[in-house]
Amino acid sequence: MKPTPLTLKKKIALELWRQKENLACEEHPLKQLFWECTLRCDLKCRHCGSDCKMKSESKDMPKEDFLRVLDSIAAKTDPHKVFVIISGGEPLMRRDIEECGRAIYEKGYPWGMVTNALHLTPQRWQGLLKAGIHSMAISLDGLEPDHNWMRGNDQSFQMVSHAIDMLVATKGFVFDIVTCVNRHNYPKLDEIKEFLISKGVKRWRIFTIFPVGRAALDPDMQLTNEEFRGVFDYIKKVREEGRIRADYGCEGFLGNYEGEVRSRLFSCQAGVTVGSVMADGSIAACASIRADYNQGNIYKDDFMEVWENRYHPYRNREWMKKDECATCKYFRYCQGNGMHLRDEDGKLLLCHLHRLQKT
């Protein structure tokens, strides 16, 4: 199927957005910093891109090592403007995660967490609140049978359900629920939506699974082209209903779906406003990037020196203009898609627009 030409309104919006993003690349203000605090995880998710394990061969990064990074950042920019996101692995596998969060908060940084909630007991939740946590993202991939199938643990759904109740009951706390759409749960998106609304959830973030890690070998994880388009039609419908704020994840240029399925137009902020410190000390960008586009290591480099003077593959993406991107007239808006969708040789693993054009 040939692509539907962009409407004039979309072209104008995308051109203005492109100018804004070009300026962001030039200035590259650090706004989000991921900390992969551990590679340990207590679940065996079918789609995991990290292939984390209960007992990782890599040790957890000592919090003091990460705190030195925060000191480096604070010497060059206002820490209140840099949001720290603790990820993993599963952060709650660390018994000292509350201490880590408190230390981050005391240095002036707002912080949040990405968690599967399996260990988010009321006691730990109160500990995180006392440590100054600002936000949280929790995964829910269906009602009980489907979610537990996806996560490989028969207690996972109940713990997520209890966690949602605690977060909803905490007045003013900002959180969202993340759903990874696959062939198993695609027909049941309405059931998930109604469950979330009944629990009082206001924000729902929806992803399609990209072919990395375990998901690359599991046919149940990959949608058909018709289902892939159906996800965006569904999100558009839910947004029009207005009962819950649904957003597609940050990945992928979507043509005429831009401006209709998420609250911002597409741009990959990896290495532009988003950096990360990985469990081994690697200085990277978006925590979803698994190919080696690391720019240094905190054990031999100063983080802010790296942030200011490296990251060239992220901030000038003309090198991506090859293969199917070489002649694409939408490259000016897409810039080669998300960095997490490039393998170690720079090959594009998934083009969202190309898949949409197949239906």
Side-chain angles (χ1 to χ4, degrees), residues 45-48 141 145-146 149-151 179-189 207-225 227-228 231 355:
C45 302
R46 301 179 73 95
H47 67 302
C48 182
D141 297 309
D146 293 328
W149 171 85
M150 181 79 156
R151 299 288 162 173
T179 297
C180 294
V181 184
N182 55 78
R183 297 213 70 192
H184 210 73
N185 65 9
Y186 173 78
K188 304 173 184 178
L189 290 175
F207 284 86
T208 47
I209 296 171
F210 51 95
V212 174
R214 298 172 191 164
L217 303 175
D218 190 340
D220 283 327
M221 296 296 101
Q222 303 304 322
L223 300 172
T224 66
N225 293 328
E227 290 167 340
F228 190 75
V231 169
R355 286 207 70 185

Side-chain angles (χ1 to χ4, degrees), residues 280-283 295-303 306 310:
D280 64 354
S282 295
I283 297 172
Q295 300 296 296
N297 193 289
I298 65 168
Y299 293 112
K300 63 179 182 179
D301 301 301
D302 176 75
F303 180 90
V306 171
R310 303 188 199 178

Side-chain angles (χ1 to χ4, degrees), residues 105-172:
Y105 182 73
E106 289 175 351
K107 286 186 176 291
Y109 292 85
W111 69 279
M113 178 185 294
V114 179
T115 178
N116 61 39
L118 191 62
H119 292 300
L120 192 59
T121 62
Q123 294 77 17
R124 296 211 76 177
W125 174 234
Q126 290 303 312
L128 292 170
L129 286 173
K130 291 176 182 177
I133 192 169
H134 283 66
S135 71
M136 182 173 284
I138 296 178
S139 296
L140 179 76
D141 297 309
L143 300 189
E144 190 159 12
D146 293 328
H147 176 84
N148 290 345
W149 171 85
M150 181 79 156
R151 299 288 162 173
N153 186 295
D154 60 7
Q155 299 298 314
S156 182
F157 177 83
Q158 286 299 323
M159 289 303 294
V160 170
S161 180
H162 294 325
I164 291 173
D165 291 339
M166 291 189 293
L167 271 58
V168 169
T170 305
K171 187 176 180 180

